Amino acid sequence: MTAKLILGTEIREEILEEITREVAEIKAKHNQVPGLVTILVGENPASISYVTLKIKTAHRVGFKEIQDTQPLDIGEADLLALIDKYNKDDSIHGILVQLPLPKHIDEKKVLNAINPDKDVDGFHPVNVGRLMIGGGEVKFPPCTPAGIQEMIVRAGVETKGAEVVVVGRSNIVGKPIANMMLQKGRGANSTVTIVHTGTKDLATHCKRADILIVAAGVPDLVKPEWIKPGACVIDVGVNRVGEKVSEKTGKKVAILKGDVDFEAAKEIAGSITPVPGGVGPMTITMLMKNTLKSLKFRLGIA
Ligand code: NAD
């Protein structure tokens, strides 16, 4: 292996330790802790496991955490009233609504009802706008892109003047990370290209990348010959390609693969994230960071 592995599992631990320390300091000085509420409608098993992990992590770093589970048949007006209640609650700094919501509820309406200053997911149009403006305007960068940028910084990869190629233009990964990498400042100041399903020659663009960020959701889309020797490769893709029996639990688990042919790519890249254990663990970690930031904004110490 030639490439240095950038491990989200390790970086997560570093950041969660930092957050835990800061929460304790703020508690000692201001007698307040960050408060995070997750609103779950219904009992979708995948949603329950995501919410449980978020709440467990919030508890670990010393936050006040509330898991508010509502019945599947809750009306839209009642859900909006619940959000309003948490918008007005001064002990809550982050509000998350776990998606998907049942069909009778307008998802957009619900997400837009969250106070942008408590929108720690960073998906509210106000926060999307703040991200686009950049600099001091940014409050809550969306969590997966924020995690990607943090990994690049902590791996010591130079971003200033780097050619960054982002594969994928989704609102949750491709567009925001491309926008973040082109801003001035820490972990950015790069020259950014976004490629997507309408791009004529994917390979030629990818080959120019000093930093290649791939979020397409297509297993092994990026071939080793598309990678510039020494490049930093961030593989965001999480693709279920089969099932296996876990050695630890004896239960069936999904076999996950990224968007990059990892085994071949690691012989060419300078640094690379694996799947699983790469970008995945960073999303919840950055959610904690945004919730802490929200309290710091409130206290005027951010
Ligand atoms: P999406 O389906 O919304 O967007 C995929 C994008 O990739 C699209 O813009 C599309 O144009 C582009 N694309 C798809 N196939 C392509 C091809 N053959 N050539 C060029 N471009 C192509 O997906 P998303 O929500 O952005 O997620 C992308 C991947 O990242 C998925 O595998 C998802 O599971 C994963 N993901 C991981 C995390 C995490 O680890 N925390 C978070 C979000 C998404």
Side-chain angles (χ1 to χ4, degrees), residues 10 71 272 297 301:
E10 281 180 6
I272 189 166
F297 282 127
I301 55 170

Side-chain angles (χ1 to χ4, degrees), residues 245-276:
V245 175
S246 159
E247 282 177 21
K248 259 195 205 161
T249 62
K251 286 184 184 161
K252 270 191 185 169
V253 290
I255 300 172
L256 301 179
K257 229 176 186 309
D259 289 350
V260 177
D261 178 353
F262 177 79
E263 286 307 317
K266 73 183 189 328
E267 303 302 330
I268 301 161
S271 53
I272 189 166
T273 59
V275 178

Side-chain angles (χ1 to χ4, degrees), residues 10 20-21 73 99 139 145 148 198 246 270 274 279 290:
E10 281 180 6
T20 308
R21 274 199 300 275
D73 62 357
L99 301 180
K139 283 208 152 177
I148 294 168
S246 159
V279 176
N290 275 351

Side-chain angles (χ1 to χ4, degrees), residues 20-37:
T20 308
R21 274 199 300 275
E22 216 178 330
V23 169
E25 280 166 24
I26 291 175
K27 190 177 176 185
K29 222 171 171 180
H30 301 274
N31 197 26
Q32 285 195 57
V33 295
L36 178 69
V37 60

Side-chain angles (χ1 to χ4, degrees), residues 144 167-174 195-199 202 214-218 221 235-239 257 259 278-284:
T144 301
V167 183
R169 56 179 159 186
S170 73
N171 287 330
I172 63 165
V173 189
V195 296
H196 44 76
T197 43
T199 299
L202 221 54
V214 192
V218 181
L221 173 69
D235 188 353
V236 192
V238 180
N239 305 292
K257 229 176 186 309
D259 289 350
V279 176
M282 295 300 292
T283 302
I284 290 183

Side-chain angles (χ1 to χ4, degrees), residues 174-285:
K175 277 192 237 168
I177 188 61
N179 182 46
M180 288 160 76
M181 297 306 294
L182 63 80
Q183 304 285 351
K184 282 186 185 162
R186 172 182 178 262
N189 226 348
S190 310
T191 302
V192 180
T193 306
I194 308 180
V195 296
H196 44 76
T197 43
T199 299
K200 277 187 191 145
D201 185 355
L202 221 54
T204 303
H205 289 287
C206 291
K207 275 185 213 164
R208 284 191 298 105
D210 300 312
I211 301 172
L212 180 61
I213 301 170
V214 192
V218 181
D220 290 346
L221 173 69
V222 172
K223 311 291 175 243
E225 58 275 19
W226 297 11
I227 294 168
K228 181 174 168 179
C232 169
V233 178
I234 307 287
D235 188 353
V236 192
V238 180
N239 305 292
R240 287 165 197 267
V241 293
E243 279 189 336
K244 63 178 180 184
V245 175
S246 159
E247 282 177 21
K248 259 195 205 161
T249 62
K251 286 184 184 161
K252 270 191 185 169
V253 290
I255 300 172
L256 301 179
K257 229 176 186 309
D259 289 350
V260 177
D261 178 353
F262 177 79
E263 286 307 317
K266 73 183 189 328
E267 303 302 330
I268 301 161
S271 53
I272 189 166
T273 59
V275 178
V279 176
M282 295 300 292
T283 302
I284 290 183
T285 306

